[in-house]
Short mmCIF file of all heavy atoms in Angstrom, two decimals:
data_model
loop_
_atom_site.label_atom_id
_atom_site.label_comp_id
_atom_site.label_asym_id
_atom_site.label_seq_id
_atom_site.Cartn_x
_atom_site.Cartn_y
_atom_site.Cartn_z
N ASN A 794 74.94 -8.79 -32.85
CA ASN A 794 75.42 -8.65 -31.47
C ASN A 794 74.93 -7.31 -30.95
O ASN A 794 75.65 -6.32 -30.93
CB ASN A 794 76.94 -8.74 -31.43
CG ASN A 794 77.47 -8.86 -30.01
OD1 ASN A 794 76.71 -8.94 -29.04
ND2 ASN A 794 78.78 -8.85 -29.86
N ILE A 795 73.66 -7.28 -30.56
CA ILE A 795 72.98 -6.03 -30.25
C ILE A 795 72.33 -6.09 -28.87
O ILE A 795 71.92 -7.15 -28.41
CB ILE A 795 71.90 -5.70 -31.31
CG1 ILE A 795 70.94 -6.88 -31.49
CG2 ILE A 795 72.57 -5.35 -32.64
CD1 ILE A 795 69.80 -6.62 -32.48
N VAL A 796 72.23 -4.92 -28.23
CA VAL A 796 71.55 -4.82 -26.93
C VAL A 796 70.83 -3.47 -26.87
O VAL A 796 71.13 -2.56 -27.62
CB VAL A 796 72.54 -4.92 -25.74
CG1 VAL A 796 73.17 -6.29 -25.67
CG2 VAL A 796 73.60 -3.83 -25.81
N MET A 797 69.86 -3.39 -25.96
CA MET A 797 69.30 -2.11 -25.54
C MET A 797 69.33 -2.08 -24.02
O MET A 797 68.87 -3.02 -23.38
CB MET A 797 67.86 -1.92 -26.03
CG MET A 797 67.76 -1.45 -27.47
SD MET A 797 66.09 -0.93 -27.95
CE MET A 797 66.04 0.74 -27.27
N LYS A 798 69.89 -1.03 -23.48
CA LYS A 798 70.04 -0.93 -22.03
C LYS A 798 69.53 0.41 -21.52
O LYS A 798 69.48 1.40 -22.25
CB LYS A 798 71.51 -1.11 -21.62
CG LYS A 798 72.08 -2.49 -21.90
CD LYS A 798 71.45 -3.56 -21.03
CE LYS A 798 72.06 -4.93 -21.28
NZ LYS A 798 71.35 -6.01 -20.54
N LEU A 799 69.18 0.42 -20.25
CA LEU A 799 68.78 1.66 -19.59
C LEU A 799 69.98 2.59 -19.51
O LEU A 799 71.00 2.25 -18.91
CB LEU A 799 68.24 1.33 -18.19
CG LEU A 799 67.64 2.48 -17.40
CD1 LEU A 799 66.40 3.03 -18.10
CD2 LEU A 799 67.29 2.02 -15.98
N ALA A 800 69.89 3.76 -20.13
CA ALA A 800 71.02 4.69 -20.21
C ALA A 800 70.93 5.81 -19.18
O ALA A 800 71.96 6.34 -18.74
CB ALA A 800 71.10 5.29 -21.60
N ARG A 801 69.71 6.22 -18.80
CA ARG A 801 69.54 7.26 -17.80
C ARG A 801 68.18 7.10 -17.17
O ARG A 801 67.27 6.46 -17.74
CB ARG A 801 69.69 8.65 -18.41
CG ARG A 801 68.69 8.98 -19.48
CD ARG A 801 68.83 10.40 -20.00
NE ARG A 801 67.66 10.77 -20.81
CZ ARG A 801 67.19 11.99 -20.93
NH1 ARG A 801 67.75 12.99 -20.28
NH2 ARG A 801 66.13 12.25 -21.68
N CYS A 802 68.01 7.69 -16.00
CA CYS A 802 66.72 7.58 -15.32
C CYS A 802 66.56 8.74 -14.35
O CYS A 802 67.53 9.41 -13.97
CB CYS A 802 66.61 6.25 -14.56
SG CYS A 802 67.83 6.06 -13.24
N CYS A 803 65.33 9.00 -13.98
CA CYS A 803 65.06 9.96 -12.90
C CYS A 803 63.89 9.43 -12.09
O CYS A 803 63.04 8.68 -12.60
CB CYS A 803 64.79 11.35 -13.43
SG CYS A 803 63.24 11.56 -14.31
N MET A 804 63.87 9.80 -10.82
CA MET A 804 62.90 9.21 -9.90
C MET A 804 61.51 9.81 -10.06
O MET A 804 60.51 9.13 -9.85
CB MET A 804 63.38 9.39 -8.45
CG MET A 804 62.52 8.68 -7.43
SD MET A 804 62.52 6.89 -7.63
CE MET A 804 64.06 6.46 -6.82
N ASN A 805 61.44 11.08 -10.47
CA ASN A 805 60.15 11.76 -10.50
C ASN A 805 60.07 12.67 -11.72
O ASN A 805 60.84 13.62 -11.84
CB ASN A 805 59.95 12.57 -9.21
CG ASN A 805 58.53 13.04 -9.05
OD1 ASN A 805 57.82 13.30 -10.03
ND2 ASN A 805 58.10 13.18 -7.80
N GLY A 806 59.13 12.39 -12.60
CA GLY A 806 59.00 13.16 -13.83
C GLY A 806 58.58 14.60 -13.62
O GLY A 806 58.83 15.45 -14.48
N SER A 807 57.95 14.92 -12.48
CA SER A 807 57.51 16.30 -12.24
C SER A 807 58.68 17.21 -11.85
O SER A 807 58.58 18.43 -11.97
CB SER A 807 56.44 16.34 -11.15
OG SER A 807 56.97 15.87 -9.92
N ASN A 808 59.76 16.61 -11.38
CA ASN A 808 60.96 17.38 -11.04
C ASN A 808 62.18 16.58 -11.47
O ASN A 808 62.93 16.06 -10.64
CB ASN A 808 61.00 17.66 -9.53
CG ASN A 808 62.17 18.55 -9.15
OD1 ASN A 808 62.67 19.32 -9.97
ND2 ASN A 808 62.63 18.41 -7.92
N PRO A 809 62.38 16.43 -12.78
CA PRO A 809 63.36 15.46 -13.28
C PRO A 809 64.81 15.85 -13.01
O PRO A 809 65.27 16.92 -13.42
CB PRO A 809 63.08 15.40 -14.78
CG PRO A 809 62.43 16.71 -15.11
CD PRO A 809 61.67 17.11 -13.88
N ILE A 810 65.51 15.00 -12.28
CA ILE A 810 66.96 15.09 -12.11
C ILE A 810 67.52 13.79 -12.68
O ILE A 810 67.43 12.74 -12.04
CB ILE A 810 67.35 15.27 -10.64
CG1 ILE A 810 66.71 16.53 -10.06
CG2 ILE A 810 68.87 15.33 -10.49
CD1 ILE A 810 66.92 16.70 -8.58
N TRP A 811 68.05 13.88 -13.88
CA TRP A 811 68.46 12.68 -14.58
C TRP A 811 69.82 12.18 -14.10
O TRP A 811 70.73 12.97 -13.87
CB TRP A 811 68.51 12.94 -16.09
CG TRP A 811 67.15 13.13 -16.69
CD1 TRP A 811 66.48 14.30 -16.86
CD2 TRP A 811 66.30 12.10 -17.20
NE1 TRP A 811 65.25 14.06 -17.45
CE2 TRP A 811 65.12 12.72 -17.66
CE3 TRP A 811 66.41 10.71 -17.30
CZ2 TRP A 811 64.07 12.00 -18.23
CZ3 TRP A 811 65.36 9.99 -17.86
CH2 TRP A 811 64.20 10.63 -18.31
N GLN A 812 69.90 10.87 -13.94
CA GLN A 812 71.15 10.22 -13.56
C GLN A 812 71.55 9.22 -14.64
O GLN A 812 70.70 8.51 -15.18
CB GLN A 812 70.99 9.48 -12.22
CG GLN A 812 70.50 10.32 -11.07
CD GLN A 812 71.53 11.30 -10.57
OE1 GLN A 812 72.72 11.17 -10.87
NE2 GLN A 812 71.10 12.31 -9.80
N GLU A 813 72.85 9.15 -14.92
CA GLU A 813 73.32 8.16 -15.88
C GLU A 813 73.27 6.76 -15.27
O GLU A 813 73.54 6.57 -14.09
CB GLU A 813 74.76 8.48 -16.30
CG GLU A 813 75.29 7.50 -17.35
CD GLU A 813 76.74 7.75 -17.74
OE1 GLU A 813 77.35 8.70 -17.21
OE2 GLU A 813 77.26 7.00 -18.58
N CYS A 814 72.90 5.79 -16.08
CA CYS A 814 72.89 4.39 -15.66
C CYS A 814 74.04 3.66 -16.35
O CYS A 814 74.25 3.82 -17.56
CB CYS A 814 71.58 3.71 -16.04
SG CYS A 814 70.13 4.44 -15.28
N ILE A 815 74.79 2.86 -15.59
CA ILE A 815 75.90 2.12 -16.18
C ILE A 815 75.84 0.65 -15.79
O ILE A 815 75.14 0.26 -14.85
CB ILE A 815 77.26 2.71 -15.75
CG1 ILE A 815 77.50 2.48 -14.24
CG2 ILE A 815 77.37 4.16 -16.11
CD1 ILE A 815 78.93 2.70 -13.83
N LYS A 816 76.60 -0.14 -16.52
CA LYS A 816 76.72 -1.58 -16.25
C LYS A 816 78.19 -1.94 -16.39
O LYS A 816 78.81 -1.61 -17.39
CB LYS A 816 75.87 -2.37 -17.24
CG LYS A 816 76.00 -3.88 -17.19
CD LYS A 816 75.01 -4.51 -18.14
CE LYS A 816 75.19 -6.03 -18.26
NZ LYS A 816 76.29 -6.38 -19.16
N LEU A 817 78.74 -2.61 -15.38
CA LEU A 817 80.16 -2.99 -15.44
C LEU A 817 80.34 -4.38 -16.03
O LEU A 817 81.19 -4.58 -16.89
CB LEU A 817 80.79 -2.93 -14.05
CG LEU A 817 80.96 -1.53 -13.45
CD1 LEU A 817 81.69 -1.62 -12.12
CD2 LEU A 817 81.71 -0.62 -14.40
N SER A 818 79.60 -5.36 -15.56
CA SER A 818 79.72 -6.73 -16.05
C SER A 818 81.06 -7.34 -15.63
O SER A 818 81.92 -6.68 -15.06
CB SER A 818 79.55 -6.78 -17.57
OG SER A 818 79.62 -8.09 -18.05
N ASP A 819 81.23 -8.62 -15.91
CA ASP A 819 82.51 -9.31 -15.69
C ASP A 819 83.29 -9.45 -16.99
O ASP A 819 84.39 -9.99 -16.99
CB ASP A 819 82.27 -10.70 -15.09
CG ASP A 819 81.69 -10.63 -13.69
OD1 ASP A 819 82.07 -9.72 -12.94
OD2 ASP A 819 80.83 -11.47 -13.36
N ASP A 820 82.71 -9.01 -18.10
CA ASP A 820 83.37 -8.99 -19.40
C ASP A 820 83.46 -7.55 -19.84
O ASP A 820 82.44 -6.87 -19.97
CB ASP A 820 82.58 -9.79 -20.45
CG ASP A 820 82.44 -11.26 -20.09
OD1 ASP A 820 83.39 -11.80 -19.48
OD2 ASP A 820 81.40 -11.86 -20.40
N TYR A 821 84.68 -7.07 -20.11
CA TYR A 821 84.84 -5.65 -20.44
C TYR A 821 83.99 -5.24 -21.64
O TYR A 821 83.45 -4.15 -21.69
CB TYR A 821 86.31 -5.32 -20.72
CG TYR A 821 86.53 -3.85 -20.97
CD1 TYR A 821 86.54 -2.94 -19.91
CD2 TYR A 821 86.68 -3.35 -22.27
CE1 TYR A 821 86.71 -1.58 -20.13
CE2 TYR A 821 86.85 -1.99 -22.50
CZ TYR A 821 86.86 -1.12 -21.43
OH TYR A 821 87.02 0.23 -21.65
N GLY A 822 83.84 -6.11 -22.61
CA GLY A 822 83.07 -5.79 -23.80
C GLY A 822 81.60 -5.57 -23.53
O GLY A 822 80.88 -5.04 -24.40
N LYS A 823 81.14 -5.95 -22.35
CA LYS A 823 79.74 -5.76 -21.99
C LYS A 823 79.53 -4.54 -21.10
O LYS A 823 78.41 -4.28 -20.66
CB LYS A 823 79.19 -7.01 -21.29
CG LYS A 823 79.03 -8.22 -22.21
CD LYS A 823 78.34 -9.36 -21.46
CE LYS A 823 78.03 -10.54 -22.39
NZ LYS A 823 77.31 -11.60 -21.67
N HIS A 824 80.60 -3.80 -20.80
CA HIS A 824 80.44 -2.57 -20.03
C HIS A 824 79.58 -1.59 -20.82
O HIS A 824 79.64 -1.52 -22.04
CB HIS A 824 81.80 -1.92 -19.76
CG HIS A 824 82.63 -2.63 -18.74
ND1 HIS A 824 82.29 -3.85 -18.20
CD2 HIS A 824 83.81 -2.28 -18.16
CE1 HIS A 824 83.22 -4.22 -17.33
NE2 HIS A 824 84.15 -3.29 -17.29
N MET A 825 78.77 -0.81 -20.10
CA MET A 825 77.95 0.21 -20.74
C MET A 825 77.96 1.48 -19.91
O MET A 825 77.84 1.42 -18.68
CB MET A 825 76.51 -0.28 -20.93
CG MET A 825 76.40 -1.47 -21.86
SD MET A 825 74.74 -1.69 -22.49
CE MET A 825 74.61 -0.29 -23.59
N GLY A 826 78.13 2.61 -20.58
CA GLY A 826 78.11 3.89 -19.90
C GLY A 826 79.36 4.69 -20.19
O GLY A 826 80.30 4.21 -20.85
N SER A 827 79.40 5.91 -19.72
CA SER A 827 80.55 6.78 -19.96
C SER A 827 81.73 6.33 -19.12
O SER A 827 81.58 5.77 -18.03
CB SER A 827 80.19 8.22 -19.62
OG SER A 827 80.03 8.38 -18.21
N SER A 828 82.94 6.61 -19.61
CA SER A 828 84.15 6.22 -18.87
C SER A 828 84.21 6.95 -17.53
O SER A 828 84.66 6.39 -16.52
CB SER A 828 85.39 6.52 -19.71
OG SER A 828 85.44 7.90 -20.06
N THR A 829 83.71 8.18 -17.48
CA THR A 829 83.73 8.96 -16.24
C THR A 829 82.88 8.30 -15.16
O THR A 829 83.32 8.13 -14.01
CB THR A 829 83.22 10.39 -16.49
OG1 THR A 829 84.01 11.01 -17.49
CG2 THR A 829 83.25 11.21 -15.21
N GLU A 830 81.67 7.89 -15.54
CA GLU A 830 80.79 7.27 -14.55
C GLU A 830 81.27 5.88 -14.17
O GLU A 830 81.13 5.47 -13.01
CB GLU A 830 79.36 7.21 -15.10
CG GLU A 830 78.30 6.86 -14.06
CD GLU A 830 78.19 7.89 -12.94
OE1 GLU A 830 78.47 9.08 -13.20
OE2 GLU A 830 77.84 7.51 -11.81
N MET A 831 81.85 5.15 -15.13
CA MET A 831 82.39 3.83 -14.79
C MET A 831 83.55 3.94 -13.81
O MET A 831 83.66 3.13 -12.87
CB MET A 831 82.81 3.09 -16.06
CG MET A 831 81.65 2.47 -16.82
SD MET A 831 82.15 1.32 -18.10
CE MET A 831 82.62 2.45 -19.40
N GLU A 832 84.41 4.95 -14.00
CA GLU A 832 85.51 5.17 -13.06
C GLU A 832 84.98 5.48 -11.67
O GLU A 832 85.50 5.00 -10.67
CB GLU A 832 86.41 6.31 -13.56
CG GLU A 832 87.28 5.95 -14.76
CD GLU A 832 88.36 4.95 -14.42
OE1 GLU A 832 88.84 4.95 -13.27
OE2 GLU A 832 88.72 4.15 -15.31
N ALA A 833 83.94 6.30 -11.60
CA ALA A 833 83.34 6.65 -10.31
C ALA A 833 82.78 5.41 -9.62
O ALA A 833 82.92 5.24 -8.41
CB ALA A 833 82.25 7.69 -10.51
N CYS A 834 82.14 4.55 -10.41
CA CYS A 834 81.57 3.32 -9.86
C CYS A 834 82.65 2.39 -9.35
O CYS A 834 82.56 1.85 -8.25
CB CYS A 834 80.72 2.63 -10.94
SG CYS A 834 79.99 1.07 -10.42
N LEU A 835 83.71 2.21 -10.15
CA LEU A 835 84.82 1.35 -9.74
C LEU A 835 85.46 1.86 -8.45
O LEU A 835 85.80 1.07 -7.56
CB LEU A 835 85.86 1.28 -10.87
CG LEU A 835 85.47 0.49 -12.12
CD1 LEU A 835 86.41 0.80 -13.27
CD2 LEU A 835 85.45 -1.00 -11.82
N TYR A 836 85.60 3.17 -8.35
CA TYR A 836 86.19 3.76 -7.16
C TYR A 836 85.30 3.53 -5.94
O TYR A 836 85.76 3.15 -4.86
CB TYR A 836 86.42 5.26 -7.38
CG TYR A 836 87.04 5.96 -6.18
CD1 TYR A 836 88.41 5.90 -5.96
CD2 TYR A 836 86.24 6.66 -5.28
CE1 TYR A 836 88.98 6.54 -4.86
CE2 TYR A 836 86.80 7.30 -4.19
CZ TYR A 836 88.17 7.23 -3.98
OH TYR A 836 88.72 7.85 -2.89
N GLU A 837 83.98 3.77 -6.12
CA GLU A 837 83.06 3.62 -4.99
C GLU A 837 83.01 2.19 -4.48
O GLU A 837 82.87 1.95 -3.27
CB GLU A 837 81.65 4.07 -5.41
CG GLU A 837 80.64 4.08 -4.27
CD GLU A 837 79.30 4.65 -4.67
OE1 GLU A 837 79.23 5.40 -5.67
OE2 GLU A 837 78.31 4.35 -3.97
#
Side-chain angles (χ1 to χ4, degrees):
N794 190 4
I795 54 177
V796 294
M797 279 191 81
K798 294 293 182 186
L799 186 64
R801 61 177 193 150
C802 63
C803 69
M804 187 63 81
N805 192 329
S807 63
N808 185 25
I810 302 174
W811 290 91
Q812 304 289 344
E813 182 182 359
C814 299
I815 68 165
K816 173 175 174 280
L817 291 184
S818 182
D819 294 323
D820 298 327
Y821 184 77
K823 290 187 174 183
H824 287 8
M825 296 199 70
S827 70
S828 58
T829 302
E830 192 62 30
M831 281 192 281
E832 287 291 329
C834 178
L835 288 165
Y836 180 81
E837 186 174 338

